[in-house]
């Protein structure tokens, strides 16, 4: 039975073959009938394919542009999953396609290994391990002793008890992280002095800020944690993102955990993973807005944005600057810059693409303008 | 504490393979393209860590595709 399908793997997409197979089994078709179906499918598949010279980029732009106008009218672009803020709609779409370095609301979706998702208590415990906790949160008071040039802190005993920290534990972490300071325990908290001694006051102030920001527990950059149910599985949503360090935790399922920061994904998981997250993120925005854009357009955009090995946005600094033609670049934004720079180095325009030929009033290499005519000459018979 | 992250098993990362010189030639011939026309991948990309690649190598990527179940893509290793 499988041999019939094998013949068609070259001509047909695996998805088409798969669905024909499924339907054939349901209808109990004979192999001759299956062959008929496949031949017909092949015919239709060929018709549906994009012909060479089709301007797919323009079609993609239009397909995004038209639904995009409707998105603009929707004013509420922020949605709250419980207490967490998420950018949605047009601002998020712009963020993705412009390839902004940091999303407005970085969110990480942390999946846990099955052993840690059994009951709520363990999940909460893991969540508290991820959440960033600074020394500031554990202290009730900071004061500066101007004469001695030292910073004195007062510990919040109630919080210490709640989180189950001991003084010894905290002091160990502090000495480990603040290497240039001398730390002494006092009656209510700690006293910090710079080892080399400090002369001016601003240095002491800076020291105070540094002490406040010392991370006692958790992962840097993660301000919020929220265990939620997603697709019948418990995940921890994190406000703030630090993929590299979260993946190091042993409780975390390192194969599923992801973030919405595209650049972070590219750095940790590579450019192909970044392409995948661009697709997933933009698709989820579009679907949440109730719009319907064919996924092939998104695939094209994602391929284009990652084609140079780095992520480049659909901006004048991104894919537009990768264009070969001077006129094409100048026709997008800041024409004077491009034209002046090109003339300074004597750049050549080969007029291979569309927009420069439009500017020069020539046939564009698109559709029927793409192929040239080739005449087959008779050869051999004449004496030359 | 620094645990090595096995990123190859991550659900976002597709299969990457390095092609031999012979296979590389075949691909270029089949697609009728030159090296500079191919999509690029940087040599310091985390997925290439254990593949021992140098600039000019061709990487075959087998993706899970929503439209074709499996799709094959190629990237040339470029100078970083």
């Amino acid at each position: 039975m499988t041999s019939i399908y094998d013949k068609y793997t070259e001509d047909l997409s695996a998805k088409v073959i798969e669905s024909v197979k499924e339907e054939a089994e349901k209808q109990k078709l004979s192999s001759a009938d299956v062959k008929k179906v496949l031949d017909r499918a092949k015919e239709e598949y060929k018709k549906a394919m994009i012909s060479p010279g089709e301007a797919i980029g323009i079609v993609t732009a239009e397909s995004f542009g038209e639904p995009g106008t409707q998105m603009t009218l929707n004013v509420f672009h922020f949605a709250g999953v419980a207490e967490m803020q998420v950018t949605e709609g047009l601002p998020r779409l712009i963020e993705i396609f412009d390839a902004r370095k940091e999303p407005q609301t970085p969110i990480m979706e942390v999946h846990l290994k099955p052993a840690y998702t059994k009951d709520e208590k363990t999940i909460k415990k893991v969540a508290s391990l991820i959440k960033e906790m600074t020394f500031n949160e554990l202290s009730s008071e900071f004061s500066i002793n101007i004469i001695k040039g030292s910073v004195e802190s007062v510990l919040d005993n109630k919080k210490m008890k709640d989180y189950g920290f001991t003084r010894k534990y905290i002091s160990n972490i502090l000495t480990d992280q603040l290497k240039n300071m001398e730390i002494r325990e006092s009656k209510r908290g700690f006293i910090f002095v710079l080892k080399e001694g400090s002369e001016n006051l601003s240095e002491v102030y800076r020291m105070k800020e540094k002490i406040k920001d010392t991370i006692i527990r958790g992962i840097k950059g993660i301000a919020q944690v929220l265990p939620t149910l997603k697709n019948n599985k418990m995940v921890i949503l994190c406000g703030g993102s630090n993929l590299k360090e979260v993946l190091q935790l042993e409780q975390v399922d390192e194969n599923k955990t992801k973030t919405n920061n595209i650049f972070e994904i590219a750095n940790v998981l590579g450019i192909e993973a970044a392409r995948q997250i661009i697709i997933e993120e933009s698709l989820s925005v579009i679907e949440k807005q109730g719009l319907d854009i064919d996924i092939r357009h998104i695939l094209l955009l994602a391929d284009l944005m990652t084609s140079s090995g780095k992520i480049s946005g659909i901006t004048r600094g991104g894919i537009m600057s990768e264009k070969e033609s001077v006129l094409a670049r100048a026709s997008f934004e800041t024409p004077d810059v491009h034209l002046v720079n090109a003339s300074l180095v004597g750049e050549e325009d080969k007029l291979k693409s569309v927009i420069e030929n439009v500017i020069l009033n020539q046939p564009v290499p698109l559709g029927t303008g793409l192929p040239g005519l080739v005449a087959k000459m008779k050869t051999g018979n004449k004496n030359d | 504490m620094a645990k090595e992250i096995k990123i190859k098993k991550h659900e976002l990362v597709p299969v990457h393979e390095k092609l031999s010189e012979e296979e590389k030639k075949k691909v270029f011939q089949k697609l009728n393209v030159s090296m500079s026309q191919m999509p690029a991948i940087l040599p310091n990309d985390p997925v290439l860590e254990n593949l021992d690649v140098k600039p000019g190598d061709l990487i075959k990527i087998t993706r899970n595709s929503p439209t074709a179940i499996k799709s094959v893509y190629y990237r040339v290793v470029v100078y970083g």
Side-chain angles (χ1 to χ4, degrees):
Chain A
M1 209 42 188
T2 44
S3 59
I4 311 170
Y5 298 106
D6 284 348
K7 258 195 246 167
Y8 290 88
T9 45
E10 278 277 294
D11 300 316
L12 276 173
S13 140
K15 197 162 185 180
V16 177
I17 292 179
E18 207 62 29
S19 46
V20 169
K21 216 183 217 169
E22 214 174 87
E23 197 59 31
E25 264 160 40
K26 230 191 253 167
Q27 307 281 344
K28 297 198 176 78
L29 292 181
S30 69
S31 53
D33 282 340
V34 171
K35 200 168 177 305
K36 259 188 209 165
V37 172
L38 283 171
D39 278 334
R40 189 66 208 286
K42 195 171 138 189
E43 220 173 272
E44 291 293 324
Y45 189 71
K46 268 202 173 142
K47 269 190 217 162
M49 276 207 274
I50 298 281
S51 39
E54 182 81 49
I56 50 170
I58 292 286
V59 176
T60 294
E62 285 173 348
S63 310
F64 269 101
E66 193 273 329
T69 55
Q70 289 171 38
M71 234 188 279
T72 328
L73 296 175
N74 189 352
V75 185
F76 298 103
H77 290 300
F78 288 93
V81 184
E83 299 115 52
M84 200 144 330
Q85 285 246 309
V86 192
T87 321
E88 272 181 0
L90 200 65
R92 178 67 188 138
L93 213 56
I94 291 170
E95 213 171 74
I96 298 168
F97 292 141
D98 277 4
R100 302 262 164 86
K101 279 260 149 55
E102 286 276 337
Q104 210 172 23
T105 51
I107 300 260
M108 210 166 34
E109 198 183 296
V110 178
H111 291 250
L112 299 177
K113 283 187 183 145
Y116 296 95
T117 52
K118 272 175 195 141
D119 61 307
E120 223 166 284
K121 219 175 173 184
T122 39
I123 294 169
K124 274 198 176 145
K125 209 173 164 193
V126 178
S128 69
L129 275 179
I130 295 172
K131 192 184 175 209
E132 175 188 67
M133 184 190 285
T134 55
F135 187 56
N136 191 25
E137 279 174 65
L138 286 174
S139 312
S140 55
E141 206 180 309
F142 279 95
S143 55
I144 290 177
N145 192 327
I146 300 172
I147 302 160
K148 286 182 190 159
S150 64
V151 177
E152 293 170 21
S153 80
V154 176
L155 278 175
D156 189 331
N157 283 326
K158 193 177 166 288
K159 273 192 183 159
M160 288 282 282
K161 225 180 210 171
D162 284 353
Y163 292 118
F165 288 129
T166 57
R167 249 167 190 253
K168 188 98 204 303
Y169 179 75
I170 302 260
S171 110
N172 278 344
I173 289 176
L174 287 173
T175 34
D176 204 40
Q177 296 208 15
L178 303 165
K179 290 215 164 78
N180 60 342
M181 289 176 210
E182 206 186 298
I183 298 159
R184 268 176 287 144
E185 281 186 44
S186 68
K187 228 186 251 170
R188 291 156 67 204
F190 296 98
I191 300 173
F192 304 82
V193 195
L194 273 181
K195 270 179 188 161
E196 294 124 37
S198 53
E199 269 128 50
N200 53 18
L201 207 56
S202 65
E203 208 172 339
V204 183
Y205 268 111
R206 243 179 287 142
M207 192 177 135
K208 185 180 126 199
E209 291 309 312
K210 206 179 162 194
I211 292 164
K212 272 187 180 176
D213 289 339
T214 310
I215 294 166
I216 300 295
R217 190 174 69 181
I219 286 160
K220 202 183 172 205
I222 292 173
Q224 255 183 316
V225 282
L226 191 77
T228 23
L229 203 64
K230 196 178 177 189
N231 299 334
N232 287 324
K233 275 185 106 181
M234 283 305 283
V235 296
I236 301 173
L237 286 181
C238 300
S241 176
N242 193 339
L243 188 64
K244 201 168 188 176
E245 279 181 40
V246 168
L247 288 182
Q248 305 264 332
L249 290 177
E250 59 162 330
Q251 293 93 335
V252 168
D253 185 344
E254 70 256 42
N255 297 333
K256 283 187 182 143
T257 298
K258 48 191 153 189
T259 160
N260 68 353
N261 187 338
I262 298 161
F263 280 86
E264 228 185 312
I265 293 260
N267 284 336
V268 180
L269 300 174
I271 192 72
E272 276 293 319
R275 183 197 95 106
Q276 195 59 41
I277 204 77
I278 292 173
I279 295 165
E280 277 178 24
E281 285 285 317
S282 41
L283 203 62
S284 89
V285 171
I286 288 159
E287 269 171 7
K288 266 182 204 157
Q289 294 275 321
L291 303 172
D292 186 28
I293 298 176
D294 195 290
I295 188 162
R296 274 155 263 249
H297 299 308
I298 302 165
L299 294 181
L300 177 70
L301 263 179
D303 273 337
L304 192 64
M305 284 173 71
T306 55
S307 71
S308 67
K310 286 176 280 194
I311 297 162
S312 34
I314 320 279
T315 54
R316 65 172 168 233
I319 58 163
M320 286 300 165
S321 64
E322 285 162 22
K323 285 195 174 185
E324 205 186 330
S325 159
V326 188
L327 288 174
R329 267 179 282 137
S331 69
F332 183 62
E333 269 169 20
T334 58
D336 45 346
V337 176
H338 286 295
L339 291 177
V340 168
N341 284 346
S343 50
L344 280 176
V345 294
E347 216 173 302
E348 197 180 340
D349 199 322
K350 295 200 174 102
L351 304 180
K352 271 188 191 159
S353 187
V354 180
I355 189 80
E356 54 266 38
N357 282 304
V358 172
I359 293 171
L360 295 178
N361 197 18
Q362 292 189 54
V364 290
L366 265 187
T368 50
L370 185 65
L373 275 182
V374 178
K376 247 189 192 168
M377 307 302 266
K378 273 185 187 168
T379 49
N381 285 339
K382 274 181 187 169
N383 303 328
D384 192 24
Chain B
M1 176 183 163
K3 180 178 78 172
E4 206 187 315
I5 311 168
K6 289 181 211 113
I7 58 166
K8 285 195 179 157
K9 282 190 184 161
H10 198 283
E11 59 174 21
L12 290 175
V13 181
V15 183
H16 289 62
E17 294 163 277
K18 186 179 138 185
L19 293 186
S20 68
E21 283 298 309
E22 225 169 273
E23 289 169 308
K24 194 170 128 184
K25 240 182 212 165
K26 255 188 206 161
V27 170
F28 281 133
Q29 222 161 45
K30 189 185 160 202
L31 300 176
N32 191 21
V33 289
S34 69
M35 193 107 96
S36 61
Q37 289 170 310
M38 295 292 265
I41 189 166
L42 298 178
N44 59 2
D45 200 275
V47 282
L48 301 181
E49 210 166 65
N50 297 319
L51 283 178
D52 183 33
V53 293
K54 55 184 191 306
D57 281 340
L58 194 66
I59 307 292
K60 181 184 175 187
I61 296 155
T62 315
R63 294 167 172 168
N64 291 325
S65 156
T67 53
I69 300 179
K70 287 260 182 255
S71 78
V72 178
Y73 200 71
Y74 297 97
R75 279 179 193 274
V76 167
V77 181
V78 293
Y79 292 93

